[in-house]
Amino acid sequence: MARGRREIPPCSKTYGFPIYCAAWVPLSQISAAAAADDDHDNDKRGEGGGGGDPSLPRHKGDRLLVTLGGGGGEGRSGVPNALVVSHFDLRSRSLSDQPVFRMGTDADVPYRMAVHPGGDGIICSFPKNCRLFKWDFSESEETLSLRSPGETLENLEDGGLQLALSFNEGGSILATGSEDGRLMVFKWPSMESVLEETVANTTVKDLDFSSDGKFLASLRNSGPCKVWDLASSKVVANLSREDGEIFSFCRFSRSRADSQVLFVTAMHGDQGKIISWNTTSWKRIGTKRIVRDPISAFNISSDGKLMAIGTTEGSIEVLSSANMQVQTRVKKEHLGIVTALVFSHDSRALLSSSFDSTARVTTIETRKSNGFSAWIIILVIILAILVYFMKSKQTL
């Protein structure tokens, strides 16, 4: 190997276009929906439930799928615009050499995506519109594909480029935020409006729903982080910045307990930090300086135990959400800006993407210190028992 050449591990692959958005595919939900459709078709044909197992094909827990979007835009750069689906094998920790599915999007580059948690499809934002791509599921996960050209969402046609897209945990509410400062929230799939706010001369940077579905946090390039009560469609908190802070991303903790926390990343000078707010009093309860480079991506695991940040320098850090201690640090994981970070549904892996055209899956290691501590406790108990028997013999 030539000196200085960067070795690419099996968990990382290059896709030939800058990657702007990434997500895990909810394969079990897609399969269940396909099985339900098959049952419905069988009932209509009068076949009942016979003719073999109507449930979805059995998928190995170590086989996962990711979807990626990006491209070179509408210029004549020669860089394609595309959506791809790739396979990740957790056991071998490797991304497939070839995508399971690839679909060109002509002159339109996919900037953001939101995958419906129930398997309804993927919403992608393009420069001029947003489109819903439905899944086509066959007999095995290798034949999973997206239906082209996608269904244009008319409610979002005049909203400008959507820079933030998010479904709530149940998939019943969709929130969008555009580069022209327009926040819109809809019921899904009816697209009935829940709330709308436009603030001139701003850009909506990030959105997140609380795990109980009560709140929506919205973050703009200026002003406070707003928290909306979805039942009343009113703002219940304006979380202000301290002098010099620039907010970037917001995420609720994934706990269903009453004491949830809202995390917001911020740059303060040359320091990237994470700020936490109590969701009852809406007061700051903590601040932790994490990195010196600007934070370009942020997310929290499905089980709520971990959080991850990506930087403009291509580095990634995985932290405990309880104490914000670093669990894993990978310097220069990508050669460009980290554009997206997404934990797998079981929180065992972290998908990252970058402008350098690469996607990578980092597996989450379980710390061995807990097991080590358990062995110490066992040894102490054994020693205590031995001492007890030795003393008993001396007494006799």
Side-chain angles (χ1 to χ4, degrees):
M1 186 174 67
R3 179 181 294 180
R5 178 175 293 179
R6 185 172 182 259
E7 184 177 356
I8 299 177
C11 64
S12 180
K13 286 291 182 290
T14 300
Y15 290 90
F17 57 84
I19 302 173
Y20 289 90
C21 48
W24 294 91
V25 176
L27 191 57
S28 58
Q29 285 78 11
I30 296 168
S31 304
D37 288 342
D38 288 343
D39 285 346
H40 179 68
D41 291 341
N42 287 339
D43 289 342
K44 288 177 69 176
R45 290 193 297 264
E47 296 178 5
D53 183 2
S55 63
L56 55 107
R58 288 175 171 80
H59 302 287
K60 297 179 181 178
D62 291 338
R63 306 183 73 185
L64 306 170
L65 292 175
V66 302
T67 181
L68 312 165
E74 60 181 352
R76 297 183 179 179
S77 63
V79 179
N81 302 308
L83 290 168
V84 302
V85 176
S86 287
H87 164 244
F88 177 73
D89 186 84
L90 191 59
R91 186 172 299 176
S92 63
R93 303 185 180 187
S94 61
L95 276 166
S96 55
D97 290 328
Q98 296 298 325
V100 172
F101 171 78
R102 184 183 183 111
M103 179 179 69
T105 56
D106 299 323
D108 297 326
V109 56
Y111 276 105
R112 298 289 186 268
M113 68 168 57
V115 175
H116 188 270
D120 281 3
I122 300 177
I123 293 180
C124 288
S125 70
F126 296 91
K128 297 178 181 178
N129 57 36
C130 281
R131 282 178 250 163
L132 169 66
F133 296 91
K134 294 279 191 176
W135 298 107
D136 259 335
F137 182 79
S138 297
E139 294 299 321
S140 67
E141 63 194 62
E142 284 77 14
T143 58
L144 183 74
S145 61
L146 292 167
R147 300 175 192 171
S148 178
E151 174 190 340
T152 299
L153 300 179
E154 295 180 359
N155 304 62
L156 299 174
E157 276 195 283
D158 299 325
L161 175 62
Q162 304 298 318
L163 296 180
L165 295 170
S166 182
F167 282 105
N168 67 346
E169 193 171 293
S172 61
I173 302 289
L174 169 68
T176 70
S178 69
E179 65 177 354
D180 61 3
R182 195 174 182 184
L183 166 67
M184 292 181 285
V185 181
F186 305 95
K187 292 181 180 180
W188 183 266
S190 67
M191 295 299 284
E192 177 186 342
S193 179
V194 175
L195 69 88
E196 183 175 329
E197 181 195 49
T198 300
V199 180
N201 303 315
T202 68
T203 294
V204 180
K205 296 172 63 175
D206 200 23
L207 299 166
D208 193 51
F209 289 95
S210 60
S211 58
D212 58 12
K214 293 180 180 179
F215 302 118
L216 171 71
S218 64
L219 197 59
R220 299 177 182 273
N221 62 334
S222 63
C225 175
K226 290 185 178 181
V227 181
W228 299 80
D229 182 312
L230 293 173
S232 63
S233 299
K234 294 182 179 179
V235 175
V236 294
N238 285 289
L239 310 179
S240 59
R241 312 161 189 246
E242 293 183 351
D243 289 342
E245 287 180 344
I246 301 175
F247 290 168
S248 47
F249 299 96
C250 56
R251 289 292 182 275
F252 284 96
S253 62
R254 299 307 178 213
S255 170
R256 291 188 177 277
D258 292 335
S259 57
Q260 289 191 54
V261 176
L262 175 62
F263 299 101
V264 175
T265 65
M267 287 303 297
H268 201 166
D270 63 350
Q271 298 283 333
K273 62 184 182 180
I274 300 175
I275 308 163
S276 52
W277 271 272
N278 180 285
T279 58
T280 302
S281 64
W282 299 113
K283 292 182 179 179
R284 286 195 186 211
I285 55 175
T287 300
K288 182 68 178 287
R289 297 180 184 273
I290 306 296
V291 292
R292 288 190 176 275
D293 299 322
I295 297 172
S296 59
F298 178 59
N299 222 325
I300 292 181
S301 62
S302 299
D303 62 12
K305 296 179 179 179
L306 299 171
M307 58 177 65
I309 61 169
T311 73
T312 56
E313 297 300 312
S315 299
I316 288 175
E317 295 194 5
V318 179
L319 308 94
S320 164
S321 58
N323 55 23
M324 297 192 194
Q325 295 298 312
V326 176
Q327 306 280 16
T328 302
R329 178 182 285 119
V330 186
K331 289 287 188 181
K332 306 290 185 180
E333 180 164 310
H334 297 276
L335 296 178
I337 296 172
V338 178
T339 53
L341 287 171
V342 194
F343 285 93
S344 61
H345 304 103
D346 58 9
S347 303
R348 292 191 293 171
L350 176 68
L351 170 64
S352 58
S353 63
S354 172
F355 282 155
D356 69 358
S357 302
T358 64
R360 175 170 174 153
V361 178
T362 303
T363 52
I364 307 301
E365 302 289 350
T366 301
R367 290 215 167 196
K368 297 181 179 180
S369 57
N370 292 334
F372 183 69
S373 300
W375 277 109
I376 290 178
I377 293 172
I378 293 171
L379 288 173
V380 169
I381 293 173
I382 293 172
L383 287 173
I385 293 172
L386 289 174
V387 169
Y388 172 80
F389 278 111
M390 289 175 66
K391 288 183 177 181
S392 297
K393 286 184 179 182
Q394 289 176 358
T395 303
L396 294 174

